[in-house]
Amino acid sequence: MKLHKQPLLLLVICFILGILFQEKMVLAGITFYLVIVICLIILAAICFHSYFLHKTKAFLLGLLFFGAGIILHYHNTFSSDVSSFVNKKETVTFKISQKLNTTEKYKKYEGAGQIENINFNSVFYVPKDSKELDFVHYYKADAYITQPKEPQYDFQFEYKKYLKRKHIEYQAYVSKEIQSTERDDLTPTDKLHQYRFKVLKDIDKTGMSDKTKEFLKGIILADRTEIDEGTVQDFNKSGMVHFLAISGTHIVVIFGMFYFLLIRFIPLKFRKYAVILSLAFIWLFAAFIGFGNSVLRSCIMLSVYFIFVLLQRKPDLLHSLALSAFFILIGDTQQFFDVGFQLSFLAVLGIYWLNQPLLKYFPKQDNYLKKLLFNTITISLSAQLATLPLVLYYFHQFSFISIIANIVIVPFSEIIIVFSFLMTALVSCGIDFELMNVVYDFVIQILLKMIHWFAEVDVLFFENIPMNGLEVFIVFVVLYLLRSVIVKFNLKNSSGLIMAVIVFLIIRTGSNVFENQKEEVLIHTFGKNNLISIKRGDRACFWISDMENKDKVLQFVVKPYCSSRRIHHFEIKTFSNSVQKVVFRNKIYDLK
């Protein structure tokens, strides 16, 4: 890839660097206004024609987009003030904008609330046995207002920052007594969300098994709020979570299905209108299920690709990818920090970078079956390799069985998606074919059992894998150099790759040695109880008072701590609830 032939990609990289610069430096006041002035000067200079400026135009454009990233990210840093109501019970009027995953105690929603004419965004926690909230009503109830807490330690998930990136700064625990009144200010988006809500309820009324219903709602309507924890773990451990999430594959299949139907009724000379109508349909579908990152990216890329085709220009994948990133980030620069955004774009880059070189090692694709099988293998492998560094960095786990699972299941993904879309369409139209329900239920149950079987192969599943930022960067360098080795294996190409791998191993070994020299004692707050961890070298011991919460402690405390501190061995022990203080190396630690 010659970067000078990808100006849009270079500009979006400069734009992202500006976002990252503002995120770290937090420019404000005089320095921020100075950035605006410099950008205006650069913009004026670009418009002024001269020989010198012509030579430096590329540099000035990069600098302009860097400044634009700073400016937009500054304006996308959200803040509201209802601090006078925090940690108090207040009467709140609110509406919901999105349903979140249900917990053991609460149904969770994102929405906008109002207290005494002060507006704020919040996550609303509604008792689980309360009625389901919809998008066409305002609700009024007493609620306890809190703010998400800062994490105790650096290895914990920063939930407060995560919510703030979604422009949410508060949590509201709503009482059971909820009053409602019908809204008279519904937007087209609200009406689409309400219709989707109705379809989800209609799916619940069908005779299919619960797991099949939840799968259908997830794969087509992007609703995974009620999927049981066991199924989610199966998809995660088998590396098939992308199959359940709405992604590029789903959008392409739905576009292709609609286009296939249209060309059967539209004359050949009007074929371009079939493309336009199909694009309009996927955008309507995207609005219907909510504009997630992967959905938005897929719709933009597909639209740009076919606009090139309609204009009889050669399509360019990287141009489409860069434009997708621009449109999403201009709308909200905080989206860059979303894990889904990063993984989605990396997967496409990986397919662009590695798919064709890998495909050359397979036999000639002289029929449809070979083309489907070989492309499935190479595309899946390319996407997984490209996203692997970030997967390890964020989730600290990987399963080699995911490679096999993708090869086995992905070739049938088009059939499953089309079948699922047809079932959803029938349900939304009020048509309930019992025979089709039985057949679909049977097919999905087999699919879920296969995924469960792959997830059960623990011997190929690795967790608590430590990975810091520098290691991630070096692994990306390795992946960049890997392409040249695949294309042409020689001493020059392989030596660069070997050197990068050696540098990675040196950095990783140094990081392990540095971390294993430390001793550490921490008091962790978990729910209503505290627990203590004692670390020596690459070993740690966790003392907890309530073994009933062992699984949750393992998931939210032990595993994140072990991956952060590069712990190779750990054990969990119990202590009595009556213990209030612990003495270790002449230091007293208070557990209460």
Side-chain angles (χ1 to χ4, degrees), residues 251-274:
I251 298 299
V252 170
V253 170
I254 293 170
F255 173 89
M257 178 181 62
F258 198 70
Y259 178 75
F260 176 81
L261 293 173
L262 284 176
I263 61 175
R264 294 293 178 270
F265 303 101
I266 295 179
L268 184 62
K269 63 180 180 178
F270 298 117
R271 187 66 55 86
K272 65 179 180 180
Y273 295 109

PDB file of all heavy atoms in Angstrom, residues 251-274:
ATOM      1  N   ILE A 251     -25.194  -6.639   6.735  1.00  0.00           N
ATOM      2  CA  ILE A 251     -25.630  -5.565   5.843  1.00  0.00           C
ATOM      3  C   ILE A 251     -25.480  -5.973   4.378  1.00  0.00           C
ATOM      4  O   ILE A 251     -26.382  -5.747   3.555  1.00  0.00           O
ATOM      5  CB  ILE A 251     -24.840  -4.266   6.121  1.00  0.00           C
ATOM      6  CG1 ILE A 251     -25.086  -3.782   7.555  1.00  0.00           C
ATOM      7  CG2 ILE A 251     -25.215  -3.181   5.122  1.00  0.00           C
ATOM      8  CD1 ILE A 251     -26.522  -3.451   7.872  1.00  0.00           C
ATOM      9  N   VAL A 252     -24.351  -6.591   4.036  1.00  0.00           N
ATOM     10  CA  VAL A 252     -24.115  -7.030   2.654  1.00  0.00           C
ATOM     11  C   VAL A 252     -25.139  -8.086   2.245  1.00  0.00           C
ATOM     12  O   VAL A 252     -25.686  -8.046   1.138  1.00  0.00           O
ATOM     13  CB  VAL A 252     -22.674  -7.561   2.490  1.00  0.00           C
ATOM     14  CG1 VAL A 252     -22.509  -8.244   1.134  1.00  0.00           C
ATOM     15  CG2 VAL A 252     -21.670  -6.433   2.634  1.00  0.00           C
ATOM     16  N   VAL A 253     -25.412  -9.040   3.121  1.00  0.00           N
ATOM     17  CA  VAL A 253     -26.381 -10.098   2.817  1.00  0.00           C
ATOM     18  C   VAL A 253     -27.779  -9.521   2.621  1.00  0.00           C
ATOM     19  O   VAL A 253     -28.487  -9.882   1.667  1.00  0.00           O
ATOM     20  CB  VAL A 253     -26.388 -11.166   3.933  1.00  0.00           C
ATOM     21  CG1 VAL A 253     -27.568 -12.126   3.754  1.00  0.00           C
ATOM     22  CG2 VAL A 253     -25.083 -11.946   3.924  1.00  0.00           C
ATOM     23  N   ILE A 254     -28.180  -8.616   3.513  1.00  0.00           N
ATOM     24  CA  ILE A 254     -29.517  -8.008   3.405  1.00  0.00           C
ATOM     25  C   ILE A 254     -29.609  -7.147   2.151  1.00  0.00           C
ATOM     26  O   ILE A 254     -30.623  -7.167   1.440  1.00  0.00           O
ATOM     27  CB  ILE A 254     -29.829  -7.184   4.674  1.00  0.00           C
ATOM     28  CG1 ILE A 254     -29.969  -8.131   5.878  1.00  0.00           C
ATOM     29  CG2 ILE A 254     -31.095  -6.354   4.501  1.00  0.00           C
ATOM     30  CD1 ILE A 254     -30.032  -7.431   7.212  1.00  0.00           C
ATOM     31  N   PHE A 255     -28.549  -6.398   1.839  1.00  0.00           N
ATOM     32  CA  PHE A 255     -28.508  -5.627   0.596  1.00  0.00           C
ATOM     33  C   PHE A 255     -28.640  -6.562  -0.605  1.00  0.00           C
ATOM     34  O   PHE A 255     -29.438  -6.312  -1.523  1.00  0.00           O
ATOM     35  CB  PHE A 255     -27.196  -4.845   0.497  1.00  0.00           C
ATOM     36  CG  PHE A 255     -26.981  -4.155  -0.827  1.00  0.00           C
ATOM     37  CD1 PHE A 255     -27.448  -2.870  -1.038  1.00  0.00           C
ATOM     38  CD2 PHE A 255     -26.313  -4.800  -1.862  1.00  0.00           C
ATOM     39  CE1 PHE A 255     -27.258  -2.237  -2.261  1.00  0.00           C
ATOM     40  CE2 PHE A 255     -26.119  -4.181  -3.084  1.00  0.00           C
ATOM     41  CZ  PHE A 255     -26.596  -2.895  -3.291  1.00  0.00           C
ATOM     42  N   GLY A 256     -27.854  -7.636  -0.617  1.00  0.00           N
ATOM     43  CA  GLY A 256     -27.876  -8.580  -1.734  1.00  0.00           C
ATOM     44  C   GLY A 256     -29.230  -9.247  -1.901  1.00  0.00           C
ATOM     45  O   GLY A 256     -29.702  -9.450  -3.034  1.00  0.00           O
ATOM     46  N   MET A 257     -29.866  -9.574  -0.790  1.00  0.00           N
ATOM     47  CA  MET A 257     -31.184 -10.210  -0.844  1.00  0.00           C
ATOM     48  C   MET A 257     -32.224  -9.264  -1.458  1.00  0.00           C
ATOM     49  O   MET A 257     -33.002  -9.653  -2.334  1.00  0.00           O
ATOM     50  CB  MET A 257     -31.601 -10.614   0.570  1.00  0.00           C
ATOM     51  CG  MET A 257     -32.963 -11.251   0.672  1.00  0.00           C
ATOM     52  SD  MET A 257     -33.368 -11.675   2.384  1.00  0.00           S
ATOM     53  CE  MET A 257     -33.355 -10.048   3.140  1.00  0.00           C
ATOM     54  N   PHE A 258     -32.216  -8.017  -1.000  1.00  0.00           N
ATOM     55  CA  PHE A 258     -33.183  -7.038  -1.514  1.00  0.00           C
ATOM     56  C   PHE A 258     -32.897  -6.730  -2.997  1.00  0.00           C
ATOM     57  O   PHE A 258     -33.831  -6.628  -3.808  1.00  0.00           O
ATOM     58  CB  PHE A 258     -33.104  -5.758  -0.674  1.00  0.00           C
ATOM     59  CG  PHE A 258     -34.298  -4.866  -0.812  1.00  0.00           C
ATOM     60  CD1 PHE A 258     -35.522  -5.233  -0.294  1.00  0.00           C
ATOM     61  CD2 PHE A 258     -34.207  -3.650  -1.473  1.00  0.00           C
ATOM     62  CE1 PHE A 258     -36.623  -4.412  -0.425  1.00  0.00           C
ATOM     63  CE2 PHE A 258     -35.295  -2.818  -1.614  1.00  0.00           C
ATOM     64  CZ  PHE A 258     -36.519  -3.205  -1.084  1.00  0.00           C
ATOM     65  N   TYR A 259     -31.626  -6.605  -3.342  1.00  0.00           N
ATOM     66  CA  TYR A 259     -31.245  -6.342  -4.733  1.00  0.00           C
ATOM     67  C   TYR A 259     -31.656  -7.508  -5.643  1.00  0.00           C
ATOM     68  O   TYR A 259     -32.156  -7.299  -6.755  1.00  0.00           O
ATOM     69  CB  TYR A 259     -29.734  -6.122  -4.814  1.00  0.00           C
ATOM     70  CG  TYR A 259     -29.206  -5.876  -6.208  1.00  0.00           C
ATOM     71  CD1 TYR A 259     -29.403  -4.655  -6.844  1.00  0.00           C
ATOM     72  CD2 TYR A 259     -28.522  -6.875  -6.896  1.00  0.00           C
ATOM     73  CE1 TYR A 259     -28.929  -4.429  -8.120  1.00  0.00           C
ATOM     74  CE2 TYR A 259     -28.034  -6.659  -8.173  1.00  0.00           C
ATOM     75  CZ  TYR A 259     -28.238  -5.444  -8.791  1.00  0.00           C
ATOM     76  OH  TYR A 259     -27.773  -5.231 -10.056  1.00  0.00           O
ATOM     77  N   PHE A 260     -31.450  -8.733  -5.159  1.00  0.00           N
ATOM     78  CA  PHE A 260     -31.824  -9.929  -5.922  1.00  0.00           C
ATOM     79  C   PHE A 260     -33.319  -9.925  -6.243  1.00  0.00           C
ATOM     80  O   PHE A 260     -33.739 -10.280  -7.357  1.00  0.00           O
ATOM     81  CB  PHE A 260     -31.440 -11.178  -5.132  1.00  0.00           C
ATOM     82  CG  PHE A 260     -31.849 -12.456  -5.773  1.00  0.00           C
ATOM     83  CD1 PHE A 260     -31.089 -13.018  -6.794  1.00  0.00           C
ATOM     84  CD2 PHE A 260     -33.007 -13.117  -5.365  1.00  0.00           C
ATOM     85  CE1 PHE A 260     -31.482 -14.203  -7.404  1.00  0.00           C
ATOM     86  CE2 PHE A 260     -33.399 -14.300  -5.972  1.00  0.00           C
ATOM     87  CZ  PHE A 260     -32.630 -14.855  -6.986  1.00  0.00           C
ATOM     88  N   LEU A 261     -34.136  -9.530  -5.257  1.00  0.00           N
ATOM     89  CA  LEU A 261     -35.580  -9.493  -5.483  1.00  0.00           C
ATOM     90  C   LEU A 261     -35.967  -8.383  -6.454  1.00  0.00           C
ATOM     91  O   LEU A 261     -36.835  -8.569  -7.316  1.00  0.00           O
ATOM     92  CB  LEU A 261     -36.304  -9.284  -4.148  1.00  0.00           C
ATOM     93  CG  LEU A 261     -36.203 -10.438  -3.134  1.00  0.00           C
ATOM     94  CD1 LEU A 261     -36.822 -10.038  -1.804  1.00  0.00           C
ATOM     95  CD2 LEU A 261     -36.875 -11.693  -3.683  1.00  0.00           C
ATOM     96  N   LEU A 262     -35.306  -7.221  -6.339  1.00  0.00           N
ATOM     97  CA  LEU A 262     -35.662  -6.084  -7.196  1.00  0.00           C
ATOM     98  C   LEU A 262     -35.347  -6.337  -8.658  1.00  0.00           C
ATOM     99  O   LEU A 262     -36.145  -5.977  -9.544  1.00  0.00           O
ATOM    100  CB  LEU A 262     -34.933  -4.819  -6.715  1.00  0.00           C
ATOM    101  CG  LEU A 262     -35.487  -4.140  -5.459  1.00  0.00           C
ATOM    102  CD1 LEU A 262     -34.601  -2.976  -5.055  1.00  0.00           C
ATOM    103  CD2 LEU A 262     -36.914  -3.647  -5.697  1.00  0.00           C
ATOM    104  N   ILE A 263     -34.191  -6.942  -8.947  1.00  0.00           N
ATOM    105  CA  ILE A 263     -33.801  -7.138 -10.353  1.00  0.00           C
ATOM    106  C   ILE A 263     -34.698  -8.152 -11.049  1.00  0.00           C
ATOM    107  O   ILE A 263     -34.668  -8.262 -12.289  1.00  0.00           O
ATOM    108  CB  ILE A 263     -32.325  -7.563 -10.489  1.00  0.00           C
ATOM    109  CG1 ILE A 263     -32.072  -8.888  -9.767  1.00  0.00           C
ATOM    110  CG2 ILE A 263     -31.406  -6.465  -9.998  1.00  0.00           C
ATOM    111  CD1 ILE A 263     -30.668  -9.419  -9.966  1.00  0.00           C
ATOM    112  N   ARG A 264     -35.487  -8.891 -10.275  1.00  0.00           N
ATOM    113  CA  ARG A 264     -36.447  -9.826 -10.890  1.00  0.00           C
ATOM    114  C   ARG A 264     -37.659  -9.082 -11.443  1.00  0.00           C
ATOM    115  O   ARG A 264     -38.401  -9.631 -12.265  1.00  0.00           O
ATOM    116  CB  ARG A 264     -36.902 -10.867  -9.861  1.00  0.00           C
ATOM    117  CG  ARG A 264     -35.788 -11.814  -9.405  1.00  0.00           C
ATOM    118  CD  ARG A 264     -35.345 -12.716 -10.571  1.00  0.00           C
ATOM    119  NE  ARG A 264     -34.248 -13.593 -10.198  1.00  0.00           N
ATOM    120  CZ  ARG A 264     -32.975 -13.295 -10.319  1.00  0.00           C
ATOM    121  NH1 ARG A 264     -32.592 -12.103 -10.775  1.00  0.00           N
ATOM    122  NH2 ARG A 264     -32.036 -14.157  -9.988  1.00  0.00           N
ATOM    123  N   PHE A 265     -37.875  -7.839 -11.000  1.00  0.00           N
ATOM    124  CA  PHE A 265     -39.066  -7.089 -11.411  1.00  0.00           C
ATOM    125  C   PHE A 265     -38.732  -5.810 -12.178  1.00  0.00           C
ATOM    126  O   PHE A 265     -39.605  -5.238 -12.820  1.00  0.00           O
ATOM    127  CB  PHE A 265     -39.908  -6.730 -10.176  1.00  0.00           C
ATOM    128  CG  PHE A 265     -40.328  -7.913  -9.364  1.00  0.00           C
ATOM    129  CD1 PHE A 265     -39.660  -8.248  -8.190  1.00  0.00           C
ATOM    130  CD2 PHE A 265     -41.387  -8.715  -9.777  1.00  0.00           C
ATOM    131  CE1 PHE A 265     -40.042  -9.352  -7.447  1.00  0.00           C
ATOM    132  CE2 PHE A 265     -41.775  -9.827  -9.033  1.00  0.00           C
ATOM    133  CZ  PHE A 265     -41.101 -10.153  -7.873  1.00  0.00           C
ATOM    134  N   ILE A 266     -37.478  -5.357 -12.103  1.00  0.00           N
ATOM    135  CA  ILE A 266     -37.096  -4.115 -12.768  1.00  0.00           C
ATOM    136  C   ILE A 266     -36.372  -4.449 -14.078  1.00  0.00           C
ATOM    137  O   ILE A 266     -35.470  -5.288 -14.088  1.00  0.00           O
ATOM    138  CB  ILE A 266     -36.169  -3.269 -11.861  1.00  0.00           C
ATOM    139  CG1 ILE A 266     -36.936  -2.810 -10.614  1.00  0.00           C
ATOM    140  CG2 ILE A 266     -35.614  -2.063 -12.605  1.00  0.00           C
ATOM    141  CD1 ILE A 266     -36.113  -1.995  -9.646  1.00  0.00           C
ATOM    142  N   PRO A 267     -36.756  -3.807 -15.191  1.00  0.00           N
ATOM    143  CA  PRO A 267     -36.087  -4.067 -16.477  1.00  0.00           C
ATOM    144  C   PRO A 267     -34.591  -3.771 -16.402  1.00  0.00           C
ATOM    145  O   PRO A 267     -34.136  -2.977 -15.575  1.00  0.00           O
ATOM    146  CB  PRO A 267     -36.792  -3.091 -17.433  1.00  0.00           C
ATOM    147  CG  PRO A 267     -38.104  -2.801 -16.787  1.00  0.00           C
ATOM    148  CD  PRO A 267     -37.871  -2.862 -15.316  1.00  0.00           C
ATOM    149  N   LEU A 268     -33.827  -4.384 -17.296  1.00  0.00           N
ATOM    150  CA  LEU A 268     -32.375  -4.285 -17.275  1.00  0.00           C
ATOM    151  C   LEU A 268     -31.886  -2.847 -17.387  1.00  0.00           C
ATOM    152  O   LEU A 268     -30.932  -2.454 -16.716  1.00  0.00           O
ATOM    153  CB  LEU A 268     -31.789  -5.127 -18.422  1.00  0.00           C
ATOM    154  CG  LEU A 268     -30.264  -5.203 -18.486  1.00  0.00           C
ATOM    155  CD1 LEU A 268     -29.711  -5.849 -17.220  1.00  0.00           C
ATOM    156  CD2 LEU A 268     -29.813  -5.980 -19.727  1.00  0.00           C
ATOM    157  N   LYS A 269     -32.537  -2.033 -18.206  1.00  0.00           N
ATOM    158  CA  LYS A 269     -32.070  -0.667 -18.415  1.00  0.00           C
ATOM    159  C   LYS A 269     -32.271   0.212 -17.180  1.00  0.00           C
ATOM    160  O   LYS A 269     -31.692   1.290 -17.078  1.00  0.00           O
ATOM    161  CB  LYS A 269     -32.765  -0.041 -19.626  1.00  0.00           C
ATOM    162  CG  LYS A 269     -34.274   0.110 -19.487  1.00  0.00           C
ATOM    163  CD  LYS A 269     -34.848   0.751 -20.761  1.00  0.00           C
ATOM    164  CE  LYS A 269     -36.371   0.915 -20.645  1.00  0.00           C
ATOM    165  NZ  LYS A 269     -36.926   1.571 -21.857  1.00  0.00           N
ATOM    166  N   PHE A 270     -33.105  -0.241 -16.245  1.00  0.00           N
ATOM    167  CA  PHE A 270     -33.314   0.503 -14.987  1.00  0.00           C
ATOM    168  C   PHE A 270     -32.617  -0.177 -13.813  1.00  0.00           C
ATOM    169  O   PHE A 270     -32.988   0.023 -12.657  1.00  0.00           O
ATOM    170  CB  PHE A 270     -34.812   0.637 -14.684  1.00  0.00           C
ATOM    171  CG  PHE A 270     -35.575   1.411 -15.723  1.00  0.00           C
ATOM    172  CD1 PHE A 270     -36.578   0.800 -16.464  1.00  0.00           C
ATOM    173  CD2 PHE A 270     -35.287   2.746 -15.967  1.00  0.00           C
ATOM    174  CE1 PHE A 270     -37.284   1.502 -17.429  1.00  0.00           C
ATOM    175  CE2 PHE A 270     -35.990   3.460 -16.921  1.00  0.00           C
ATOM    176  CZ  PHE A 270     -36.988   2.843 -17.663  1.00  0.00           C
ATOM    177  N   ARG A 271     -31.588  -1.008 -14.119  1.00  0.00           N
ATOM    178  CA  ARG A 271     -30.915  -1.780 -13.089  1.00  0.00           C
ATOM    179  C   ARG A 271     -30.288  -0.886 -12.003  1.00  0.00           C
ATOM    180  O   ARG A 271     -30.228  -1.255 -10.849  1.00  0.00           O
ATOM    181  CB  ARG A 271     -29.844  -2.663 -13.735  1.00  0.00           C
ATOM    182  CG  ARG A 271     -29.162  -3.650 -12.805  1.00  0.00           C
ATOM    183  CD  ARG A 271     -30.127  -4.714 -12.299  1.00  0.00           C
ATOM    184  NE  ARG A 271     -30.810  -5.428 -13.323  1.00  0.00           N
ATOM    185  CZ  ARG A 271     -30.347  -6.511 -13.964  1.00  0.00           C
ATOM    186  NH1 ARG A 271     -29.148  -6.971 -13.658  1.00  0.00           N
ATOM    187  NH2 ARG A 271     -31.068  -7.123 -14.865  1.00  0.00           N
ATOM    188  N   LYS A 272     -29.827   0.312 -12.393  1.00  0.00           N
ATOM    189  CA  LYS A 272     -29.199   1.192 -11.408  1.00  0.00           C
ATOM    190  C   LYS A 272     -30.177   1.625 -10.319  1.00  0.00           C
ATOM    191  O   LYS A 272     -29.774   1.897  -9.182  1.00  0.00           O
ATOM    192  CB  LYS A 272     -28.590   2.414 -12.086  1.00  0.00           C
ATOM    193  CG  LYS A 272     -29.591   3.353 -12.743  1.00  0.00           C
ATOM    194  CD  LYS A 272     -28.872   4.540 -13.375  1.00  0.00           C
ATOM    195  CE  LYS A 272     -29.872   5.498 -14.036  1.00  0.00           C
ATOM    196  NZ  LYS A 272     -29.169   6.660 -14.657  1.00  0.00           N
ATOM    197  N   TYR A 273     -31.479   1.670 -10.674  1.00  0.00           N
ATOM    198  CA  TYR A 273     -32.470   2.052  -9.664  1.00  0.00           C
ATOM    199  C   TYR A 273     -32.643   0.951  -8.617  1.00  0.00           C
ATOM    200  O   TYR A 273     -33.015   1.226  -7.477  1.00  0.00           O
ATOM    201  CB  TYR A 273     -33.809   2.383 -10.334  1.00  0.00           C
ATOM    202  CG  TYR A 273     -33.723   3.605 -11.215  1.00  0.00           C
ATOM    203  CD1 TYR A 273     -33.775   3.496 -12.600  1.00  0.00           C
ATOM    204  CD2 TYR A 273     -33.573   4.882 -10.665  1.00  0.00           C
ATOM    205  CE1 TYR A 273     -33.678   4.614 -13.414  1.00  0.00           C
ATOM    206  CE2 TYR A 273     -33.481   6.017 -11.469  1.00  0.00           C
ATOM    207  CZ  TYR A 273     -33.526   5.865 -12.842  1.00  0.00           C
ATOM    208  OH  TYR A 273     -33.417   6.977 -13.653  1.00  0.00           O
ATOM    209  N   ALA A 274     -32.377  -0.284  -9.020  1.00  0.00           N
ATOM    210  CA  ALA A 274     -32.401  -1.383  -8.052  1.00  0.00           C
ATOM    211  C   ALA A 274     -31.297  -1.197  -7.023  1.00  0.00           C
ATOM    212  O   ALA A 274     -31.495  -1.464  -5.826  1.00  0.00           O
ATOM    213  CB  ALA A 274     -32.239  -2.723  -8.774  1.00  0.00           C
TER     214      ALA A 274
END
